[in-house]
Amino acid sequence: MALDATMRTRTETDSLGSMEIPADAYWGIHTARALENFPIAKRPISVYSDFVRALAMVKQASARANGEIGVLSTEKADLIDRAAQLVIDGKYHDQFVVGVIQGGAGTSTNMNANEVITNIALELAGREKGDYAFLGPIDDTNRSQSTNDVYPTAIKIGLSLTLKSLLEELDLLRGAFLDKAAEFHDILKVGRTQLQDAVPMTLGQEFHGFATTLGYDLQRLNENAYLLYEINMGATAIGTGITTHADYAPAVLRHLREITGLDLATAADLVESTSDTGSFMSFSASLKRSAIKLSKICNDLRLLSSGPQAGLGEINLPAMQAGSSIMPGKVNPVIPEVVNQVAFSVAGADLTVTMAVEGGQLQLNAFEPVIAHSIFQSITWMRQAMWTLRVNCVVGITANRERLGAMVGSSVGVVTALTPFIGYAASAALAKTALLTGHNIADLVVEAGLMTRDEVMKQISPARLSGLETMTAAIPVVVAAEDVVDETV
C-alpha cells in the first residue's frame, strides 16, 4: 500500500512485521495487508451496508456477552458496545475498506471490523488510534470469537436485513401489477400458446397472473428466511469452542437476538455448522427462482409491447430514452431488458455459490467471501431491478384498446367458446373458412344456421370468453358436423 510521503502515519506491528498506517485511518495493519494482497474486485465490503452493520452487531453482542460472563472488563465491554453501535447507526462505514473478494475465509473482513471498532472505542476513551495496549482488536474486540463463527454469522444477519428491503420492494411490484390488472379488467385480447393464437382472455387476467406469480415468490422467500437464522457463534475455529467460556454461546445468542430482532438459534452441531455452507446454497437458489420468474414476466412485457407497428403492439411501455443512434423515433424496452440482465447475473451468482459450497474442505469452507459477495449482490441488484421495473415501467403501462379489440374481433380463437354447442368438427371447419375468407366467426355460425345471433353473442361476450362467467349447460348441437364441413370446404 503506497503512502504519500507527506501523510501523517502511525506504526502498527503484527507477527509479520511493522507497517505505516495513515494516522487518521480507523483500520490497522491487518486491513492494510489485505489491501495489498487482494486488489481483485476493487469493491470494498462497505458497498453492502447491511453486512457492515451485521459485523458490528456481532461485535456488540460479543462485547455484552463477554462483559456479562466476566471475561472482559465492564469498561472495555462498554467501549466496544458503544463503538459498535455507532457503526450500526451508519457511521464509519467508509473505514470498511477490504475487498469483497479475499482469501483467508473472511479473516481480513473480521480484522477490518475488529480494528475499526477498536479505534472508534479508543477515541471514545480519549485515547489515540492504535493504542492497543489499552484496548486491543484481537484480545478484546475479538474476545471469545474466531473469523470462522463471526464471519458466517454476520453474513446471515446481513442477508436477513437486506432481504427485508427486497421483500418490501417485491410486494410493491406485486401491487403495481395488481393495479394494472384492475385497470385492464375489461379489455379483451387474444391469448397465446407457443406464440400462436389461442383463446381470448382479458389483459387484466394476464397482469393478474404476473402479480400472482410474484406473490408466490414473496411467500417462498419469506419461508426460506429461516435458512439464515441458524448461527454458530461460540464455535470459534472449527466448532469445538476452544478459547471460549462455557456460558458465552448462550449469552451471545441472547444478545444477538435482542440486537437484531431476528429469531436466531445456535446450531445443534457446531462442528457441522462451521464446515457446512449448504444453507447459503439453498437460499441462493430461492433468489434465482424469483429472478428467473421475474425475467419471464419481462420477456412477456417486451413481446406484448413489440412493434409498435410491425409487432404485437398490445401495450405501450413508458418511453424512457431514445432507442437508437441511427434510427429516429425508435424506443426500446430498456427497463425490462435491464431486469433480464439482472436475472442472468443472479443465475450465474447462484452457480458461483454452488461451486463455492462444494469447494469446502474438512472443518471449514474457505470460500465464504465469494458466497457472501454473490448473494449480497444478487439481493441488491434484484431490489434495484424491481424498483426500476415498478417505477419506470409498470405504473406507466397503457393498453392499445382499439388494436386489442380488432385482434379479438378477427381471431378464430373465439370459435373455441362455441364448441360445446356446435361440436369440435364444425368449429374447426368454420375456423378454416374464417382464415381463408377473412369472414367473422359469429357471422359464419349464424349463416350456417348453427346458432342464433343472440346465442352466439351471448357465448362470445367478454365475460364468457375470459372465463369470468361460466356457462352452466350446453344447448343441443343444431346440425351434424359433417354437413358443416361440406359447406365450408
Side-chain angles (χ1 to χ4, degrees), residues 55-85 117 121 135 140-145 233 248 251-252 255-256 259:
L55 286 162
M57 289 175 176
V58 172
K59 298 302 173 181
Q60 185 180 58
S62 292
R64 291 179 182 181
N66 284 326
E68 179 182 304
I69 64 179
V71 300
L72 199 61
S73 71
T74 301
E75 179 186 15
K76 288 184 175 182
D78 180 64
L79 285 170
I80 296 169
D81 189 335
R82 290 164 56 199
Q85 186 61 52
I117 290 173
L135 182 73
D140 299 316
T141 304
N142 199 61
R143 177 65 64 90
S144 305
Q145 304 152 64
M233 289 302 293
Y248 170 77
V252 74
H255 288 296
L256 264 180
I259 292 166

mmCIF file of all heavy atoms in Angstrom, residues 55-85 117 121 135 140-145 233 248 251-252 255-256 259:
data_model
loop_
_atom_site.group_PDB
_atom_site.id
_atom_site.type_symbol
_atom_site.label_atom_id
_atom_site.label_comp_id
_atom_site.label_asym_id
_atom_site.label_seq_id
_atom_site.Cartn_x
_atom_site.Cartn_y
_atom_site.Cartn_z
ATOM 1 N N LEU A 55 -21.785 -7.075 11.010
ATOM 2 C CA LEU A 55 -20.491 -7.296 11.668
ATOM 3 C C LEU A 55 -20.449 -6.554 13.003
ATOM 4 O O LEU A 55 -20.008 -7.095 14.027
ATOM 5 C CB LEU A 55 -19.349 -6.826 10.773
ATOM 6 C CG LEU A 55 -19.010 -7.706 9.563
ATOM 7 C CD1 LEU A 55 -18.183 -6.927 8.553
ATOM 8 C CD2 LEU A 55 -18.257 -8.962 10.012
ATOM 9 N N ALA A 56 -20.925 -5.305 13.004
ATOM 10 C CA ALA A 56 -20.934 -4.522 14.235
ATOM 11 C C ALA A 56 -21.894 -5.115 15.266
ATOM 12 O O ALA A 56 -21.617 -5.088 16.467
ATOM 13 C CB ALA A 56 -21.319 -3.083 13.922
ATOM 14 N N MET A 57 -23.003 -5.667 14.798
ATOM 15 C CA MET A 57 -23.945 -6.308 15.717
ATOM 16 C C MET A 57 -23.315 -7.505 16.408
ATOM 17 O O MET A 57 -23.507 -7.733 17.610
ATOM 18 C CB MET A 57 -25.208 -6.744 14.962
ATOM 19 C CG MET A 57 -26.089 -5.594 14.523
ATOM 20 S SD MET A 57 -27.492 -6.169 13.516
ATOM 21 C CE MET A 57 -28.383 -4.630 13.270
ATOM 22 N N VAL A 58 -22.550 -8.287 15.638
ATOM 23 C CA VAL A 58 -21.872 -9.454 16.225
ATOM 24 C C VAL A 58 -20.854 -8.996 17.261
ATOM 25 O O VAL A 58 -20.755 -9.581 18.359
ATOM 26 C CB VAL A 58 -21.202 -10.295 15.123
ATOM 27 C CG1 VAL A 58 -20.336 -11.398 15.748
ATOM 28 C CG2 VAL A 58 -22.250 -10.908 14.198
ATOM 29 N N LYS A 59 -20.091 -7.965 16.940
ATOM 30 C CA LYS A 59 -19.091 -7.450 17.889
ATOM 31 C C LYS A 59 -19.767 -6.874 19.132
ATOM 32 O O LYS A 59 -19.271 -7.036 20.254
ATOM 33 C CB LYS A 59 -18.218 -6.396 17.209
ATOM 34 C CG LYS A 59 -17.401 -6.918 16.031
ATOM 35 C CD LYS A 59 -16.474 -8.062 16.440
ATOM 36 C CE LYS A 59 -15.792 -8.689 15.254
ATOM 37 N NZ LYS A 59 -14.906 -9.829 15.644
ATOM 38 N N GLN A 60 -20.879 -6.200 18.944
ATOM 39 C CA GLN A 60 -21.595 -5.631 20.076
ATOM 40 C C GLN A 60 -22.150 -6.730 20.976
ATOM 41 O O GLN A 60 -22.016 -6.669 22.213
ATOM 42 C CB GLN A 60 -22.743 -4.759 19.577
ATOM 43 C CG GLN A 60 -23.495 -4.025 20.678
ATOM 44 C CD GLN A 60 -24.614 -3.172 20.121
ATOM 45 O OE1 GLN A 60 -25.519 -3.663 19.453
ATOM 46 N NE2 GLN A 60 -24.560 -1.863 20.396
ATOM 47 N N ALA A 61 -22.766 -7.745 20.375
ATOM 48 C CA ALA A 61 -23.316 -8.850 21.169
ATOM 49 C C ALA A 61 -22.204 -9.593 21.907
ATOM 50 O O ALA A 61 -22.372 -9.995 23.072
ATOM 51 C CB ALA A 61 -24.072 -9.810 20.250
ATOM 52 N N SER A 62 -21.066 -9.766 21.260
ATOM 53 C CA SER A 62 -19.939 -10.451 21.898
ATOM 54 C C SER A 62 -19.403 -9.642 23.068
ATOM 55 O O SER A 62 -19.071 -10.205 24.130
ATOM 56 C CB SER A 62 -18.832 -10.697 20.876
ATOM 57 O OG SER A 62 -19.244 -11.639 19.902
ATOM 58 N N ALA A 63 -19.296 -8.336 22.895
ATOM 59 C CA ALA A 63 -18.817 -7.486 23.992
ATOM 60 C C ALA A 63 -19.760 -7.577 25.193
ATOM 61 O O ALA A 63 -19.318 -7.685 26.345
ATOM 62 C CB ALA A 63 -18.700 -6.042 23.520
ATOM 63 N N ARG A 64 -21.048 -7.548 24.927
ATOM 64 C CA ARG A 64 -22.017 -7.644 26.025
ATOM 65 C C ARG A 64 -21.934 -9.007 26.707
ATOM 66 O O ARG A 64 -21.990 -9.096 27.944
ATOM 67 C CB ARG A 64 -23.434 -7.412 25.488
ATOM 68 C CG ARG A 64 -23.678 -5.980 25.027
ATOM 69 C CD ARG A 64 -25.088 -5.797 24.486
ATOM 70 N NE ARG A 64 -25.283 -4.427 23.999
ATOM 71 C CZ ARG A 64 -26.428 -3.974 23.485
ATOM 72 N NH1 ARG A 64 -27.468 -4.791 23.367
ATOM 73 N NH2 ARG A 64 -26.517 -2.717 23.071
ATOM 74 N N ALA A 65 -21.797 -10.056 25.890
ATOM 75 C CA ALA A 65 -21.700 -11.400 26.465
ATOM 76 C C ALA A 65 -20.416 -11.553 27.272
ATOM 77 O O ALA A 65 -20.421 -12.098 28.391
ATOM 78 C CB ALA A 65 -21.760 -12.451 25.359
ATOM 79 N N ASN A 66 -19.304 -11.067 26.727
ATOM 80 C CA ASN A 66 -18.015 -11.174 27.422
ATOM 81 C C ASN A 66 -18.010 -10.376 28.724
ATOM 82 O O ASN A 66 -17.438 -10.814 29.729
ATOM 83 C CB ASN A 66 -16.891 -10.680 26.506
ATOM 84 C CG ASN A 66 -16.538 -11.695 25.421
ATOM 85 O OD1 ASN A 66 -16.600 -12.903 25.643
ATOM 86 N ND2 ASN A 66 -16.175 -11.200 24.246
ATOM 87 N N GLY A 67 -18.652 -9.220 28.717
ATOM 88 C CA GLY A 67 -18.756 -8.441 29.950
ATOM 89 C C GLY A 67 -19.644 -9.120 30.966
ATOM 90 O O GLY A 67 -19.350 -9.133 32.171
ATOM 91 N N GLU A 68 -20.702 -9.720 30.486
ATOM 92 C CA GLU A 68 -21.667 -10.388 31.364
ATOM 93 C C GLU A 68 -21.057 -11.592 32.064
ATOM 94 O O GLU A 68 -21.306 -11.827 33.257
ATOM 95 C CB GLU A 68 -22.873 -10.812 30.526
ATOM 96 C CG GLU A 68 -23.970 -11.541 31.264
ATOM 97 C CD GLU A 68 -25.093 -11.949 30.321
ATOM 98 O OE1 GLU A 68 -25.650 -11.059 29.643
ATOM 99 O OE2 GLU A 68 -25.402 -13.156 30.250
ATOM 100 N N ILE A 69 -20.251 -12.381 31.340
ATOM 101 C CA ILE A 69 -19.682 -13.594 31.939
ATOM 102 C C ILE A 69 -18.332 -13.327 32.611
ATOM 103 O O ILE A 69 -17.721 -14.242 33.170
ATOM 104 C CB ILE A 69 -19.535 -14.708 30.882
ATOM 105 C CG1 ILE A 69 -18.547 -14.312 29.780
ATOM 106 C CG2 ILE A 69 -20.885 -15.052 30.284
ATOM 107 C CD1 ILE A 69 -18.341 -15.383 28.704
ATOM 108 N N GLY A 70 -17.855 -12.061 32.516
ATOM 109 C CA GLY A 70 -16.672 -11.660 33.271
ATOM 110 C C GLY A 70 -15.341 -11.913 32.627
ATOM 111 O O GLY A 70 -14.308 -11.847 33.299
ATOM 112 N N VAL A 71 -15.307 -12.175 31.303
ATOM 113 C CA VAL A 71 -14.016 -12.382 30.642
ATOM 114 C C VAL A 71 -13.501 -11.084 30.013
ATOM 115 O O VAL A 71 -12.411 -11.062 29.435
ATOM 116 C CB VAL A 71 -14.094 -13.486 29.568
ATOM 117 C CG1 VAL A 71 -14.511 -14.802 30.205
ATOM 118 C CG2 VAL A 71 -15.035 -13.094 28.443
ATOM 119 N N LEU A 72 -14.279 -10.020 30.121
ATOM 120 C CA LEU A 72 -13.883 -8.701 29.632
ATOM 121 C C LEU A 72 -14.352 -7.681 30.667
ATOM 122 O O LEU A 72 -15.462 -7.802 31.202
ATOM 123 C CB LEU A 72 -14.543 -8.424 28.276
ATOM 124 C CG LEU A 72 -13.935 -7.329 27.384
ATOM 125 C CD1 LEU A 72 -12.497 -7.669 27.009
ATOM 126 C CD2 LEU A 72 -14.788 -7.157 26.129
ATOM 127 N N SER A 73 -13.510 -6.707 30.984
ATOM 128 C CA SER A 73 -13.883 -5.717 31.995
ATOM 129 C C SER A 73 -15.101 -4.927 31.543
ATOM 130 O O SER A 73 -15.353 -4.762 30.347
ATOM 131 C CB SER A 73 -12.720 -4.753 32.256
ATOM 132 O OG SER A 73 -12.527 -3.890 31.139
ATOM 133 N N THR A 74 -15.839 -4.421 32.500
ATOM 134 C CA THR A 74 -17.033 -3.631 32.187
ATOM 135 C C THR A 74 -16.687 -2.420 31.340
ATOM 136 O O THR A 74 -17.407 -2.061 30.397
ATOM 137 C CB THR A 74 -17.715 -3.173 33.487
ATOM 138 O OG1 THR A 74 -18.076 -4.325 34.261
ATOM 139 C CG2 THR A 74 -18.944 -2.346 33.197
ATOM 140 N N GLU A 75 -15.542 -1.776 31.630
ATOM 141 C CA GLU A 75 -15.123 -0.592 30.879
ATOM 142 C C GLU A 75 -14.861 -0.938 29.415
ATOM 143 O O GLU A 75 -15.337 -0.244 28.506
ATOM 144 C CB GLU A 75 -13.861 0.007 31.498
ATOM 145 C CG GLU A 75 -13.353 1.240 30.747
ATOM 146 C CD GLU A 75 -12.018 1.751 31.255
ATOM 147 O OE1 GLU A 75 -11.337 1.002 31.998
ATOM 148 O OE2 GLU A 75 -11.652 2.887 30.900
ATOM 149 N N LYS A 76 -14.112 -2.007 29.177
ATOM 150 C CA LYS A 76 -13.794 -2.391 27.801
ATOM 151 C C LYS A 76 -15.050 -2.842 27.052
ATOM 152 O O LYS A 76 -15.263 -2.470 25.884
ATOM 153 C CB LYS A 76 -12.751 -3.505 27.792
ATOM 154 C CG LYS A 76 -11.351 -3.044 28.191
ATOM 155 C CD LYS A 76 -10.355 -4.187 28.074
ATOM 156 C CE LYS A 76 -8.933 -3.700 28.364
ATOM 157 N NZ LYS A 76 -7.932 -4.791 28.204
ATOM 158 N N ALA A 77 -15.879 -3.632 27.712
ATOM 159 C CA ALA A 77 -17.102 -4.110 27.073
ATOM 160 C C ALA A 77 -17.998 -2.939 26.682
ATOM 161 O O ALA A 77 -18.589 -2.917 25.584
ATOM 162 C CB ALA A 77 -17.844 -5.067 27.999
ATOM 163 N N ASP A 78 -18.083 -1.941 27.548
ATOM 164 C CA ASP A 78 -18.924 -0.777 27.269
ATOM 165 C C ASP A 78 -18.371 0.044 26.107
ATOM 166 O O ASP A 78 -19.125 0.514 25.249
ATOM 167 C CB ASP A 78 -19.033 0.084 28.520
ATOM 168 C CG ASP A 78 -19.902 1.313 28.296
ATOM 169 O OD1 ASP A 78 -21.107 1.140 28.031
ATOM 170 O OD2 ASP A 78 -19.370 2.447 28.359
ATOM 171 N N LEU A 79 -17.053 0.204 26.060
ATOM 172 C CA LEU A 79 -16.447 0.965 24.969
ATOM 173 C C LEU A 79 -16.680 0.278 23.617
ATOM 174 O O LEU A 79 -17.035 0.931 22.623
ATOM 175 C CB LEU A 79 -14.942 1.126 25.213
ATOM 176 C CG LEU A 79 -14.532 2.141 26.283
ATOM 177 C CD1 LEU A 79 -13.036 2.011 26.585
ATOM 178 C CD2 LEU A 79 -14.858 3.562 25.810
ATOM 179 N N ILE A 80 -16.478 -1.033 23.588
ATOM 180 C CA ILE A 80 -16.711 -1.781 22.348
ATOM 181 C C ILE A 80 -18.189 -1.716 21.966
ATOM 182 O O ILE A 80 -18.540 -1.519 20.793
ATOM 183 C CB ILE A 80 -16.255 -3.246 22.501
ATOM 184 C CG1 ILE A 80 -14.738 -3.307 22.730
ATOM 185 C CG2 ILE A 80 -16.641 -4.071 21.270
ATOM 186 C CD1 ILE A 80 -14.244 -4.680 23.159
ATOM 187 N N ASP A 81 -19.071 -1.836 22.933
ATOM 188 C CA ASP A 81 -20.511 -1.769 22.716
ATOM 189 C C ASP A 81 -20.888 -0.435 22.079
ATOM 190 O O ASP A 81 -21.595 -0.375 21.061
ATOM 191 C CB ASP A 81 -21.217 -1.945 24.060
ATOM 192 C CG ASP A 81 -22.730 -2.120 23.923
ATOM 193 O OD1 ASP A 81 -23.304 -1.658 22.922
ATOM 194 O OD2 ASP A 81 -23.337 -2.683 24.850
ATOM 195 N N ARG A 82 -20.406 0.652 22.642
ATOM 196 C CA ARG A 82 -20.727 1.989 22.144
ATOM 197 C C ARG A 82 -20.148 2.227 20.743
ATOM 198 O O ARG A 82 -20.796 2.833 19.883
ATOM 199 C CB ARG A 82 -20.214 3.046 23.118
ATOM 200 C CG ARG A 82 -20.982 3.097 24.431
ATOM 201 C CD ARG A 82 -20.196 3.864 25.489
ATOM 202 N NE ARG A 82 -19.867 5.217 25.033
ATOM 203 C CZ ARG A 82 -18.902 5.968 25.564
ATOM 204 N NH1 ARG A 82 -18.157 5.489 26.550
ATOM 205 N NH2 ARG A 82 -18.676 7.181 25.092
ATOM 206 N N ALA A 83 -18.931 1.760 20.536
ATOM 207 C CA ALA A 83 -18.306 1.916 19.218
ATOM 208 C C ALA A 83 -19.076 1.135 18.159
ATOM 209 O O ALA A 83 -19.318 1.626 17.043
ATOM 210 C CB ALA A 83 -16.861 1.446 19.275
ATOM 211 N N ALA A 84 -19.461 -0.092 18.494
ATOM 212 C CA ALA A 84 -20.218 -0.915 17.548
ATOM 213 C C ALA A 84 -21.558 -0.263 17.215
ATOM 214 O O ALA A 84 -22.017 -0.313 16.064
ATOM 215 C CB ALA A 84 -20.432 -2.313 18.122
ATOM 216 N N GLN A 85 -22.178 0.365 18.203
ATOM 217 C CA GLN A 85 -23.468 0.998 17.962
ATOM 218 C C GLN A 85 -23.353 2.137 16.949
ATOM 219 O O GLN A 85 -24.256 2.345 16.129
ATOM 220 C CB GLN A 85 -24.043 1.538 19.281
ATOM 221 C CG GLN A 85 -25.461 2.100 19.150
ATOM 222 C CD GLN A 85 -26.450 1.048 18.694
ATOM 223 O OE1 GLN A 85 -26.533 -0.037 19.269
ATOM 224 N NE2 GLN A 85 -27.202 1.342 17.641
ATOM 225 N N ILE A 117 -13.660 -0.896 14.936
ATOM 226 C CA ILE A 117 -14.432 -0.751 16.180
ATOM 227 C C ILE A 117 -13.509 -0.459 17.354
ATOM 228 O O ILE A 117 -13.831 0.352 18.238
ATOM 229 C CB ILE A 117 -15.292 -2.011 16.401
ATOM 230 C CG1 ILE A 117 -16.416 -2.049 15.352
ATOM 231 C CG2 ILE A 117 -15.869 -2.049 17.819
ATOM 232 C CD1 ILE A 117 -17.230 -3.321 15.347
ATOM 233 N N ALA A 121 -13.529 2.924 19.605
ATOM 234 C CA ALA A 121 -13.623 2.810 21.070
ATOM 235 C C ALA A 121 -12.476 3.557 21.753
ATOM 236 O O ALA A 121 -12.676 4.197 22.799
ATOM 237 C CB ALA A 121 -13.617 1.336 21.466
ATOM 238 N N LEU A 135 -6.670 -1.091 24.662
ATOM 239 C CA LEU A 135 -7.795 -1.882 24.139
ATOM 240 C C LEU A 135 -7.361 -2.456 22.800
ATOM 241 O O LEU A 135 -7.030 -1.709 21.869
ATOM 242 C CB LEU A 135 -9.037 -0.996 23.963
ATOM 243 C CG LEU A 135 -10.300 -1.717 23.475
ATOM 244 C CD1 LEU A 135 -10.880 -2.584 24.604
ATOM 245 C CD2 LEU A 135 -11.349 -0.717 22.998
ATOM 246 N N ASP A 140 -9.363 -8.079 22.822
ATOM 247 C CA ASP A 140 -10.574 -7.528 23.436
ATOM 248 C C ASP A 140 -11.786 -7.542 22.502
ATOM 249 O O ASP A 140 -12.790 -8.186 22.801
ATOM 250 C CB ASP A 140 -10.297 -6.091 23.918
ATOM 251 C CG ASP A 140 -9.197 -6.044 24.958
ATOM 252 O OD1 ASP A 140 -9.206 -6.889 25.873
ATOM 253 O OD2 ASP A 140 -8.307 -5.171 24.848
ATOM 254 N N THR A 141 -11.686 -6.853 21.375
ATOM 255 C CA THR A 141 -12.835 -6.779 20.467
ATOM 256 C C THR A 141 -13.168 -8.137 19.865
ATOM 257 O O THR A 141 -14.331 -8.432 19.573
ATOM 258 C CB THR A 141 -12.567 -5.750 19.356
ATOM 259 O OG1 THR A 141 -12.250 -4.484 19.957
ATOM 260 C CG2 THR A 141 -13.776 -5.569 18.463
ATOM 261 N N ASN A 142 -12.151 -8.977 19.687
ATOM 262 C CA ASN A 142 -12.369 -10.311 19.125
ATOM 263 C C ASN A 142 -12.408 -11.395 20.203
ATOM 264 O O ASN A 142 -12.363 -12.583 19.892
ATOM 265 C CB ASN A 142 -11.262 -10.635 18.113
ATOM 266 C CG ASN A 142 -11.624 -11.758 17.165
ATOM 267 O OD1 ASN A 142 -12.581 -11.664 16.416
ATOM 268 N ND2 ASN A 142 -10.845 -12.840 17.184
ATOM 269 N N ARG A 143 -12.519 -11.010 21.457
ATOM 270 C CA ARG A 143 -12.523 -11.975 22.566
ATOM 271 C C ARG A 143 -13.656 -12.991 22.393
ATOM 272 O O ARG A 143 -14.783 -12.647 22.065
ATOM 273 C CB ARG A 143 -12.677 -11.231 23.895
ATOM 274 C CG ARG A 143 -12.768 -12.112 25.145
ATOM 275 C CD ARG A 143 -11.486 -12.889 25.399
ATOM 276 N NE ARG A 143 -10.360 -12.003 25.675
ATOM 277 C CZ ARG A 143 -10.020 -11.593 26.896
ATOM 278 N NH1 ARG A 143 -10.728 -11.964 27.954
ATOM 279 N NH2 ARG A 143 -8.970 -10.804 27.065
ATOM 280 N N SER A 144 -13.317 -14.263 22.621
ATOM 281 C CA SER A 144 -14.262 -15.396 22.539
ATOM 282 C C SER A 144 -14.739 -15.675 21.116
ATOM 283 O O SER A 144 -15.712 -16.410 20.919
ATOM 284 C CB SER A 144 -15.482 -15.163 23.431
ATOM 285 O OG SER A 144 -15.113 -14.904 24.762
ATOM 286 N N GLN A 145 -14.063 -15.118 20.136
ATOM 287 C CA GLN A 145 -14.520 -15.252 18.747
ATOM 288 C C GLN A 145 -13.409 -15.765 17.840
ATOM 289 O O GLN A 145 -12.232 -15.726 18.169
ATOM 290 C CB GLN A 145 -14.981 -13.886 18.214
ATOM 291 C CG GLN A 145 -16.062 -13.211 19.025
ATOM 292 C CD GLN A 145 -15.971 -11.699 18.878
ATOM 293 O OE1 GLN A 145 -16.149 -11.168 17.778
ATOM 294 N NE2 GLN A 145 -15.694 -10.999 19.964
ATOM 295 N N MET A 233 -22.141 -18.996 16.514
ATOM 296 C CA MET A 233 -21.343 -18.231 17.475
ATOM 297 C C MET A 233 -21.003 -19.107 18.688
ATOM 298 O O MET A 233 -21.874 -19.804 19.225
ATOM 299 C CB MET A 233 -22.100 -16.986 17.926
ATOM 300 C CG MET A 233 -22.200 -15.917 16.845
ATOM 301 S SD MET A 233 -20.591 -15.367 16.227
ATOM 302 C CE MET A 233 -19.917 -14.551 17.687
ATOM 303 N N TYR A 248 -20.559 -18.494 27.201
ATOM 304 C CA TYR A 248 -20.504 -17.478 26.154
ATOM 305 C C TYR A 248 -21.556 -17.702 25.067
ATOM 306 O O TYR A 248 -22.283 -16.771 24.691
ATOM 307 C CB TYR A 248 -19.112 -17.439 25.522
ATOM 308 C CG TYR A 248 -19.040 -16.579 24.274
ATOM 309 C CD1 TYR A 248 -18.998 -15.191 24.369
ATOM 310 C CD2 TYR A 248 -19.039 -17.158 22.999
ATOM 311 C CE1 TYR A 248 -18.941 -14.393 23.240
ATOM 312 C CE2 TYR A 248 -18.981 -16.371 21.859
ATOM 313 C CZ TYR A 248 -18.942 -14.994 21.988
ATOM 314 O OH TYR A 248 -18.902 -14.212 20.860
ATOM 315 N N ALA A 251 -25.051 -16.755 25.954
ATOM 316 C CA ALA A 251 -25.115 -15.319 26.241
ATOM 317 C C ALA A 251 -25.063 -14.503 24.952
ATOM 318 O O ALA A 251 -25.847 -13.558 24.771
ATOM 319 C CB ALA A 251 -23.975 -14.913 27.172
ATOM 320 N N VAL A 252 -24.160 -14.841 24.043
ATOM 321 C CA VAL A 252 -24.049 -14.070 22.813
ATOM 322 C C VAL A 252 -25.282 -14.265 21.943
ATOM 323 O O VAL A 252 -25.723 -13.332 21.258
ATOM 324 C CB VAL A 252 -22.750 -14.429 22.052
ATOM 325 C CG1 VAL A 252 -22.845 -15.792 21.372
ATOM 326 C CG2 VAL A 252 -22.414 -13.347 21.032
ATOM 327 N N HIS A 255 -28.040 -11.953 23.319
ATOM 328 C CA HIS A 255 -27.811 -10.548 22.967
ATOM 329 C C HIS A 255 -28.002 -10.301 21.472
ATOM 330 O O HIS A 255 -28.538 -9.248 21.083
ATOM 331 C CB HIS A 255 -26.409 -10.125 23.412
ATOM 332 C CG HIS A 255 -26.278 -9.986 24.894
ATOM 333 N ND1 HIS A 255 -26.973 -9.042 25.617
ATOM 334 C CD2 HIS A 255 -25.527 -10.684 25.804
ATOM 335 C CE1 HIS A 255 -26.664 -9.147 26.896
ATOM 336 N NE2 HIS A 255 -25.790 -10.148 27.041
ATOM 337 N N LEU A 256 -27.585 -11.252 20.642
ATOM 338 C CA LEU A 256 -27.777 -11.093 19.202
ATOM 339 C C LEU A 256 -29.257 -11.063 18.829
ATOM 340 O O LEU A 256 -29.687 -10.285 17.964
ATOM 341 C CB LEU A 256 -27.080 -12.222 18.439
ATOM 342 C CG LEU A 256 -25.682 -11.942 17.890
ATOM 343 C CD1 LEU A 256 -25.134 -13.168 17.168
ATOM 344 C CD2 LEU A 256 -25.680 -10.742 16.949
ATOM 345 N N ILE A 259 -30.478 -7.613 19.785
ATOM 346 C CA ILE A 259 -29.929 -6.540 18.936
ATOM 347 C C ILE A 259 -30.528 -6.576 17.532
ATOM 348 O O ILE A 259 -30.885 -5.537 16.966
ATOM 349 C CB ILE A 259 -28.394 -6.656 18.865
ATOM 350 C CG1 ILE A 259 -27.776 -6.345 20.228
ATOM 351 C CG2 ILE A 259 -27.819 -5.732 17.788
ATOM 352 C CD1 ILE A 259 -26.321 -6.768 20.342
#
